Amino acid sequence: MRYESIAIHGGKSDDSGKNAVNYPIYLSSTFTQPSLDQFEEFVYSRGNNPTRSNVEKLVAELEGAKYGLALASGMAATSLVFGLLKQGDKVLINNNVYGGTWRYVSNIFADHGIEYEVVDDFNFYDFNDAAANVKMVFIETPSNPLLEITDIRKVSEEAKKRNILTVVDNTFLTSYFQKPLVLGADIVVYSATKYYAGHSDILAGLVVLNDEELYTKLKFFQNTYGGILSPLDSFLLTRGIKTLSLRLEKHQKNALLIAQYFENHPAVKDVYYPGLKSHKNYELQRFQAIGDGGVLSFRLQDGWDSKKFIENLKFFGLAVSLGGVESLICHPASMTHESYSPEWQEKIGIDSKLLRLAVGIEHEEDLLEDLSNALDKAKI
Ligand SMILES: Cc1ncc(COP(=O)(O)O)c(C=O)c1O
């Protein structure tokens, strides 16, 4: 089966002969067992729930992987994977990641005796310089919010030689556009709140991988920490996935048109979108992904007022998040990435002029007209 067909027909488990086209929502916290010494697959919903197992199977199939785990949010997924680290271990992380991930790394690691090092550009990182206690590389590509691209194959290869795990946050592209495991990564994490679910109506997180030993550990953590995806949200995630490919194609089409429009507009200073030929990693992105996603960042020139621009937009709501059908705009420095201190923000390029668009699937002409109108009104 190909991707679009798996999204609709994949993951289906036995539904006791009812043959429903939609796998049911098992709103049951517990399951009876036939006798004292007989245990079935489903015992208690923190460990396993049929609706959750169904979506876990589905996301693994979409990735061409063996195992999937569904969690209550993207941060629950990332935290689960960080749970693999022990006191004395060190993590290498790229220099702009989702603010919540940075919040974890810059606050919680220290309490657990875990070190971290921020790498400016993994594409030029020499792994011979990595300390002996490095146990994990954590990368976001494209990165949030600067849309920088990391060579997953190169990093995974170098990391593997040194027994370092490579973890990729693939939220911005999903397995539809990019398959990090195929490129050599060990674990993929997602905020499925975004494109997978696709309608800004649930929070969800995913972990996808092939290694049985790692899976057994993470499955144990999932049951023990307890931050699981509920049956109802598992159903909504399954439903969202059915239209993932269609939505992503439209998100991407709209995002590219807007990026190109910005690139040629006198009001716009910088545009960051990996689908632009001017992007510094355009070629690398062609190699490792088959799409560029629906998020782009930009700065306005000095003669244009960002606040006025945002206030005059009609379709782009001022909100954090991305990947829903509706277009959103956000100011990373004060919203999604406020957990970076002003010093860190300056160091990695998240300044007060940076704006991020999560481009929705509205009609492209409406979005372009909206942006054009707001730019006119924002001229000082
Ligand atoms: C790239 C990325 N990873 C992880 C997360 C965290 O996901 P959640 O909000 O579902 O916890 C986000 C949220 O914005 C994100 O953008």
Side-chain angles (χ1 to χ4, degrees):
M1 258 196 287
R2 291 166 183 81
Y3 197 94
E4 292 83 342
S5 313
I6 298 171
I8 291 160
H9 299 288
K12 296 253 170 65
S13 317
D14 171 39
D15 75 338
S16 310
K18 307 281 193 311
N19 302 323
V21 294
N22 290 311
Y23 193 77
I25 309 169
Y26 281 85
L27 285 176
S28 191
S29 56
T30 194
F31 302 83
T32 56
Q33 55 192 74
S35 73
L36 260 183
D37 52 5
Q38 248 184 297
F39 300 96
E40 301 285 329
E41 182 184 358
F42 299 105
V43 175
Y44 187 61
S45 275
R46 179 161 27 73
N48 280 311
N49 172 280
T51 320
R52 193 175 84 238
S53 297
N54 197 62
V55 78
E56 288 175 334
K57 228 165 110 187
L58 173 62
V59 295
E61 281 174 29
L62 285 172
E63 197 106 20
K66 287 193 188 149
Y67 308 109
L69 293 162
L71 290 305
S73 69
M75 279 316 299
T78 298
S79 306
L80 196 83
V81 171
F82 283 158
L84 293 168
L85 296 161
K86 296 200 176 63
Q87 189 173 7
D89 288 351
K90 183 168 183 172
V91 180
L92 302 178
I93 186 159
N94 64 294
N95 87 359
N96 63 109
V97 289
Y98 167 59
T101 305
W102 177 249
R103 188 182 300 124
Y104 190 113
V105 167
S106 58
N107 290 281
I108 295 181
F109 276 174
D111 293 343
H112 294 261
I114 296 163
E115 295 172 44
Y116 65 91
E117 181 183 330
V118 175
V119 174
D120 280 340
D121 188 344
F122 269 109
N123 299 329
F124 297 101
Y125 183 76
D126 184 351
F127 274 80
N128 292 318
D129 294 341
N133 62 338
V134 172
K135 292 287 164 14
M136 184 183 284
V137 171
F138 188 96
I139 50 181
E140 251 180 39
T141 178
S143 64
N144 185 1
L146 290 166
L147 286 301
E148 284 169 354
I149 306 301
T150 296
D151 187 336
I152 300 173
R153 193 176 61 160
K154 181 187 156 229
V155 168
S156 308
E157 228 173 74
E158 292 298 318
K160 204 150 279 166
K161 280 187 213 158
R162 294 159 178 87
N163 282 326
I164 300 170
L165 286 178
T166 301
V167 181
V168 178
D169 183 332
N170 199 29
T171 297
F172 272 29
L173 294 185
T174 80
S175 56
Y176 179 61
F177 280 149
Q178 177 169 272
K179 293 191 174 60
L181 298 178
V182 174
L183 293 161
D186 299 293
I187 301 175
V188 188
V189 295
Y190 293 100
S191 169
T193 309
K194 311 294 177 347
Y195 292 107
Y196 274 107
H199 298 78
S200 306
D201 50 6
I202 61 163
L203 271 90
L206 297 169
V207 178
V208 183
L209 72 167
N210 278 317
D211 185 272
E212 189 180 351
E213 204 181 314
L214 279 176
Y215 169 71
T216 306
K217 260 191 191 172
L218 292 170
K219 177 81 193 152
F220 176 81
F221 290 170
Q222 184 194 37
N223 183 31
T224 306
Y225 297 159
I228 43 105
L229 193 65
S230 75
L232 190 57
D233 287 348
S234 297
F235 175 87
L236 289 170
L237 180 55
T238 307
R239 185 170 72 172
I241 287 171
K242 290 178 203 283
T243 56
L244 176 66
S245 60
L246 286 174
R247 285 185 283 104
L248 268 172
E249 292 291 349
K250 180 64 174 156
H251 282 291
Q252 163 164 269
K253 183 180 171 208
N254 285 352
L256 180 61
L257 282 170
I258 291 171
Q260 288 167 338
Y261 170 74
F262 276 173
E263 206 174 28
N264 295 306
H265 198 292
V268 180
K269 194 163 143 213
D270 310 297
V271 192
Y272 304 98
Y273 183 65
L276 285 178
K277 291 208 169 91
S278 56
H279 188 284
K280 64 177 178 180
N281 297 124
Y282 177 79
E283 289 305 330
L284 170 60
Q285 182 68 358
R286 297 317 96 201
F287 168 75
Q288 69 180 15
I290 58 163
D292 303 295
V295 180
L296 61 105
S297 294
F298 64 102
R299 290 187 188 89
L300 295 183
Q301 298 279 12
D302 285 345
W304 277 262
D305 182 329
S306 299
K307 188 163 180 280
K308 261 198 196 158
F309 169 69
I310 292 169
E311 285 167 3
N312 279 289
L313 287 166
K314 197 167 74 181
F315 291 115
F316 292 81
L318 178 61
V320 297
S321 207
L322 57 110
V325 290
E326 65 288 310
S327 290
L328 300 174
I329 186 164
C330 94
H331 180 247
S334 64
M335 296 167 74
T336 48
H337 290 71
E338 53 76 38
S339 64
Y340 278 93
S341 67
E343 295 75 37
W344 266 109
Q345 286 192 354
E346 194 190 331
K347 206 164 144 194
I348 64 181
I350 302 176
D351 56 38
S352 65
K353 296 213 76 168
L354 188 75
L355 299 174
R356 190 191 76 184
L357 291 187
V359 182
I361 63 169
E362 299 92 339
H363 196 287
E364 60 268 27
E365 293 301 332
D366 285 327
L367 297 183
L368 288 168
E369 275 168 29
D370 194 25
L371 293 166
S372 164
N373 177 52
L375 284 174
D376 288 347
K377 299 225 166 82
K379 185 134 180 45
I380 299 166

